[in-house]
Amino acid sequence: MVSDPVFHPWAAQAKVAQAEVTHGAGAWFGNDHGDRWLDLHSQLGNLHLGHQHPTVVAAVARQAAQLCTLAPSFRTPIRDEAARHILQVAPSGAQKVLFTNGGAEAVEHALRMARVTTGRPKILAAHRSYHGATDGAMGATGDPRRWPLAATGAGTVRFFGPYRYRSDFHATTDAQECERALEHMRRLLAYEGPETVAAIIIEPIVGSNGVLVPPDGYLAGVRELCDRHGILLIADEVMTGFGRCGAWFAVDRWGVRPDLMTFAKGVNSGYVPVGGVVVGEVVAEHFAERPYPGGLTYAGHPLACASIVASIGVLRDEGLVERAERLGTDVLRPLLDELADRLPIVGEVRGAGLAWAIELVADRSTREPLVPYDAPGRVHPRMAEILRACQARGVWPFVAANRIHLFPPLVITEDDLRAGVAAVGAVLAE
Ligand SMILES: Cc1ncc(COP(=O)(O)O)c(C=O)c1O
């Protein structure tokens, strides 16, 4: 292929040298030159059902033959059905669904809903977080991708969430980490004035910033603080939703009910771009008689809705949420624990369901990261080398900072999963 006419996200355009892909099937993707890779990160964490699931492809084709597009102001059965399917699996208390075209827009609207409903200006967001690349979502994002966009994020106050391996609270147990992270949030609220805070936005299990599973009690504690001060809790489940973490939603692992929940990715495995906000009682009631200030030409796109209905059906019929939990607990965790025992470069492995991180260190005793916390949009050369070595062995994980992330499709075969982890292990051993 000659010159590339596409302007690529997050990239220096002169330096993009990405692989060509022409087809995919299940957990595999490849091209006509004979290259083939096992997808250990579900593309960008979205491909729960793998490529070309026939049920979803057929549902989109059926809808395309009937009605491709329709303004959001109309009612149409497939749109109602998609919203109903989402509400059926969402945490209890969910009332309605606002559809968007992806995760960042979902976050934009959740933040807007919270601010307009409460009449308060501020948002609490985590330092270790990613919420999307539009201005509002980037303003909530804490990680280095925000650095070049310093002007975004007016009204955002950032907090440290729990991360036991690199505790900001000098904690040595989960219970300490939980209590101290909550105390930090209590103090932050006291200093900011809780009555100025519209929402706390949180990734219930932090995704691209490290697969940080909170200690038991943390999310319930945040919920309790929100209740005490009339603050809305936004769970950003774009990465964690629809079975990724071994439950329909990560919040379900702790039985916590958010006021607003953003979703995208796994809702339809990305076959058609879509995202949205699951709206709970407080916000639904606020906009029952007042108009909501916002909308999108393609909100509730019929093709997206058809893919959602089919995808949720497949997740249910094939028992994929339970499968993610079982494969995570019985296969992935023991395999990764074994890598951690054997290889000094592995500092910690952690995760839930089929969302895992391998944190790499230069020195196990000091926990010095293999590469420093990095500049935005740049993969450190050492990590790029590890990624290339994995790709040369036919597996495609995701690397971020000093970590390898493994988010395989929920349909991956057990044999492929074992072979994939073995390939990553061989690269790390080298
Ligand atoms: C937690 C979280 N929120 C929001 C987004 C943004 O989603 P999108 O890329 O669909 O805009 C992402 C994307 O990775 C995400 O991981």
Short mmCIF file of all heavy atoms in Angstrom, two decimals, residues 201-230:
data_model
loop_
_atom_site.label_atom_id
_atom_site.label_comp_id
_atom_site.label_asym_id
_atom_site.label_seq_id
_atom_site.Cartn_x
_atom_site.Cartn_y
_atom_site.Cartn_z
N ILE A 201 -17.88 10.77 38.91
CA ILE A 201 -17.82 9.82 37.79
C ILE A 201 -16.69 8.84 38.08
O ILE A 201 -15.59 9.24 38.46
CB ILE A 201 -17.67 10.51 36.42
CG1 ILE A 201 -17.67 9.45 35.30
CG2 ILE A 201 -16.44 11.38 36.32
CD1 ILE A 201 -17.87 10.03 33.91
N ILE A 202 -16.99 7.57 37.87
CA ILE A 202 -16.04 6.55 38.26
C ILE A 202 -16.10 5.37 37.29
O ILE A 202 -17.19 5.02 36.84
CB ILE A 202 -16.37 6.12 39.72
CG1 ILE A 202 -15.14 5.67 40.46
CG2 ILE A 202 -17.46 5.11 39.81
CD1 ILE A 202 -15.33 5.71 41.97
N GLU A 203 -14.95 4.83 36.92
CA GLU A 203 -14.93 3.54 36.24
C GLU A 203 -14.95 2.50 37.37
O GLU A 203 -13.97 2.42 38.13
CB GLU A 203 -13.66 3.38 35.42
CG GLU A 203 -13.55 4.28 34.21
CD GLU A 203 -12.19 4.13 33.54
OE1 GLU A 203 -11.97 3.15 32.82
OE2 GLU A 203 -11.33 5.01 33.77
N PRO A 204 -16.01 1.73 37.50
CA PRO A 204 -16.13 0.83 38.67
C PRO A 204 -14.95 -0.13 38.77
O PRO A 204 -14.49 -0.45 39.86
CB PRO A 204 -17.42 0.07 38.41
CG PRO A 204 -18.20 0.93 37.47
CD PRO A 204 -17.20 1.67 36.63
N ILE A 205 -14.47 -0.62 37.63
CA ILE A 205 -13.14 -1.25 37.56
C ILE A 205 -12.40 -0.40 36.53
O ILE A 205 -12.84 -0.30 35.39
CB ILE A 205 -13.21 -2.72 37.11
CG1 ILE A 205 -13.87 -3.57 38.22
CG2 ILE A 205 -11.82 -3.25 36.78
CD1 ILE A 205 -14.07 -5.02 37.86
N VAL A 206 -11.32 0.26 36.96
CA VAL A 206 -10.63 1.18 36.05
C VAL A 206 -10.06 0.37 34.88
O VAL A 206 -9.38 -0.64 35.10
CB VAL A 206 -9.51 1.93 36.80
CG1 VAL A 206 -8.71 2.78 35.82
CG2 VAL A 206 -10.12 2.78 37.91
N GLY A 207 -10.34 0.81 33.66
CA GLY A 207 -9.98 0.02 32.48
C GLY A 207 -8.60 0.33 31.95
O GLY A 207 -7.59 -0.23 32.41
N SER A 208 -8.52 1.28 31.00
CA SER A 208 -7.26 1.47 30.28
C SER A 208 -6.18 2.11 31.15
O SER A 208 -5.03 2.20 30.75
CB SER A 208 -7.48 2.30 29.01
OG SER A 208 -8.04 3.54 29.33
N ASN A 209 -6.54 2.54 32.36
CA ASN A 209 -5.53 3.05 33.29
C ASN A 209 -5.03 1.99 34.27
O ASN A 209 -4.52 2.33 35.34
CB ASN A 209 -6.03 4.29 34.01
CG ASN A 209 -5.83 5.54 33.17
OD1 ASN A 209 -4.84 6.25 33.32
ND2 ASN A 209 -6.71 5.76 32.22
N GLY A 210 -5.25 0.73 33.92
CA GLY A 210 -4.56 -0.27 34.73
C GLY A 210 -5.35 -1.46 35.23
O GLY A 210 -4.81 -2.26 35.97
N VAL A 211 -6.61 -1.58 34.86
CA VAL A 211 -7.45 -2.67 35.38
C VAL A 211 -7.34 -2.70 36.91
O VAL A 211 -6.77 -3.61 37.50
CB VAL A 211 -7.12 -4.04 34.76
CG1 VAL A 211 -8.24 -5.03 35.07
CG2 VAL A 211 -6.94 -3.93 33.25
N LEU A 212 -7.84 -1.64 37.52
CA LEU A 212 -7.76 -1.50 38.97
C LEU A 212 -9.10 -1.93 39.56
O LEU A 212 -10.11 -1.25 39.41
CB LEU A 212 -7.45 -0.05 39.34
CG LEU A 212 -6.22 0.54 38.64
CD1 LEU A 212 -6.04 2.02 38.97
CD2 LEU A 212 -4.97 -0.25 39.00
N VAL A 213 -9.08 -3.09 40.20
CA VAL A 213 -10.30 -3.62 40.81
C VAL A 213 -10.38 -3.04 42.22
O VAL A 213 -9.46 -3.24 43.02
CB VAL A 213 -10.26 -5.17 40.87
CG1 VAL A 213 -11.55 -5.72 41.44
CG2 VAL A 213 -9.98 -5.75 39.48
N PRO A 214 -11.45 -2.31 42.56
CA PRO A 214 -11.48 -1.67 43.88
C PRO A 214 -11.68 -2.70 44.98
O PRO A 214 -12.28 -3.75 44.74
CB PRO A 214 -12.70 -0.74 43.78
CG PRO A 214 -13.59 -1.39 42.79
CD PRO A 214 -12.68 -2.08 41.79
N PRO A 215 -11.21 -2.39 46.19
CA PRO A 215 -11.47 -3.30 47.30
C PRO A 215 -12.95 -3.33 47.64
O PRO A 215 -13.67 -2.35 47.38
CB PRO A 215 -10.65 -2.69 48.46
CG PRO A 215 -10.39 -1.29 48.08
CD PRO A 215 -10.42 -1.21 46.58
N ASP A 216 -13.40 -4.45 48.20
CA ASP A 216 -14.81 -4.54 48.64
C ASP A 216 -15.12 -3.36 49.54
O ASP A 216 -14.31 -2.99 50.38
CB ASP A 216 -15.02 -5.84 49.43
CG ASP A 216 -14.93 -7.06 48.52
OD1 ASP A 216 -14.96 -6.89 47.28
OD2 ASP A 216 -14.81 -8.18 49.06
N GLY A 217 -16.27 -2.77 49.34
CA GLY A 217 -16.68 -1.67 50.22
C GLY A 217 -16.42 -0.30 49.63
O GLY A 217 -17.02 0.69 50.04
N TYR A 218 -15.52 -0.21 48.66
CA TYR A 218 -15.17 1.12 48.14
C TYR A 218 -16.35 1.74 47.38
O TYR A 218 -16.76 2.87 47.67
CB TYR A 218 -13.93 1.06 47.25
CG TYR A 218 -13.57 2.42 46.69
CD1 TYR A 218 -13.06 3.42 47.52
CD2 TYR A 218 -13.77 2.73 45.35
CE1 TYR A 218 -12.76 4.69 47.03
CE2 TYR A 218 -13.47 3.99 44.85
CZ TYR A 218 -12.96 4.96 45.69
OH TYR A 218 -12.68 6.21 45.19
N LEU A 219 -16.88 1.02 46.41
CA LEU A 219 -17.97 1.61 45.61
C LEU A 219 -19.19 1.89 46.48
O LEU A 219 -19.87 2.91 46.32
CB LEU A 219 -18.34 0.70 44.44
CG LEU A 219 -17.30 0.60 43.32
CD1 LEU A 219 -17.76 -0.39 42.26
CD2 LEU A 219 -17.03 1.95 42.68
N ALA A 220 -19.46 0.99 47.42
CA ALA A 220 -20.60 1.22 48.33
C ALA A 220 -20.34 2.49 49.15
O ALA A 220 -21.27 3.27 49.42
CB ALA A 220 -20.79 0.02 49.24
N GLY A 221 -19.08 2.70 49.54
CA GLY A 221 -18.73 3.90 50.31
C GLY A 221 -18.92 5.16 49.48
O GLY A 221 -19.39 6.19 49.99
N VAL A 222 -18.55 5.11 48.19
CA VAL A 222 -18.74 6.27 47.31
C VAL A 222 -20.25 6.53 47.14
O VAL A 222 -20.71 7.67 47.19
CB VAL A 222 -18.06 6.04 45.94
CG1 VAL A 222 -18.36 7.19 44.98
CG2 VAL A 222 -16.56 5.88 46.11
N ARG A 223 -20.99 5.46 46.97
CA ARG A 223 -22.47 5.59 46.84
C ARG A 223 -23.03 6.27 48.09
O ARG A 223 -23.87 7.17 48.00
CB ARG A 223 -23.06 4.18 46.65
CG ARG A 223 -24.58 4.04 46.65
CD ARG A 223 -25.24 4.52 45.38
NE ARG A 223 -25.62 5.91 45.46
CZ ARG A 223 -26.23 6.58 44.49
NH1 ARG A 223 -26.50 6.00 43.35
NH2 ARG A 223 -26.56 7.84 44.65
N GLU A 224 -22.52 5.88 49.23
CA GLU A 224 -23.03 6.42 50.50
C GLU A 224 -22.72 7.93 50.60
O GLU A 224 -23.57 8.73 51.00
CB GLU A 224 -22.40 5.62 51.64
CG GLU A 224 -23.12 5.71 52.96
CD GLU A 224 -22.56 6.85 53.80
OE1 GLU A 224 -21.31 6.99 53.86
OE2 GLU A 224 -23.37 7.59 54.38
N LEU A 225 -21.51 8.31 50.16
CA LEU A 225 -21.15 9.74 50.18
C LEU A 225 -22.05 10.53 49.22
O LEU A 225 -22.48 11.65 49.54
CB LEU A 225 -19.69 9.92 49.75
CG LEU A 225 -18.65 9.65 50.83
CD1 LEU A 225 -17.24 9.70 50.22
CD2 LEU A 225 -18.78 10.68 51.94
N CYS A 226 -22.33 9.95 48.06
CA CYS A 226 -23.22 10.61 47.10
C CYS A 226 -24.60 10.81 47.73
O CYS A 226 -25.18 11.90 47.64
CB CYS A 226 -23.36 9.77 45.82
SG CYS A 226 -21.89 9.81 44.79
N ASP A 227 -25.11 9.77 48.35
CA ASP A 227 -26.45 9.85 48.96
C ASP A 227 -26.49 10.93 50.04
O ASP A 227 -27.44 11.69 50.15
CB ASP A 227 -26.86 8.50 49.55
CG ASP A 227 -27.15 7.48 48.46
OD1 ASP A 227 -27.38 7.89 47.31
OD2 ASP A 227 -27.12 6.27 48.77
N ARG A 228 -25.43 10.97 50.82
CA ARG A 228 -25.40 11.91 51.93
C ARG A 228 -25.46 13.36 51.43
O ARG A 228 -26.04 14.23 52.07
CB ARG A 228 -24.14 11.70 52.77
CG ARG A 228 -24.18 12.44 54.09
CD ARG A 228 -22.91 12.31 54.89
NE ARG A 228 -22.45 10.93 55.01
CZ ARG A 228 -21.20 10.60 55.37
NH1 ARG A 228 -20.32 11.54 55.62
NH2 ARG A 228 -20.85 9.34 55.46
N HIS A 229 -24.84 13.62 50.29
CA HIS A 229 -24.71 15.01 49.83
C HIS A 229 -25.54 15.34 48.59
O HIS A 229 -25.34 16.40 47.98
CB HIS A 229 -23.24 15.32 49.53
CG HIS A 229 -22.36 15.19 50.74
ND1 HIS A 229 -22.49 16.01 51.84
CD2 HIS A 229 -21.35 14.32 51.02
CE1 HIS A 229 -21.58 15.67 52.76
NE2 HIS A 229 -20.89 14.65 52.28
N GLY A 230 -26.43 14.47 48.18
CA GLY A 230 -27.26 14.75 46.99
C GLY A 230 -26.44 14.83 45.71
O GLY A 230 -26.76 15.56 44.77
#
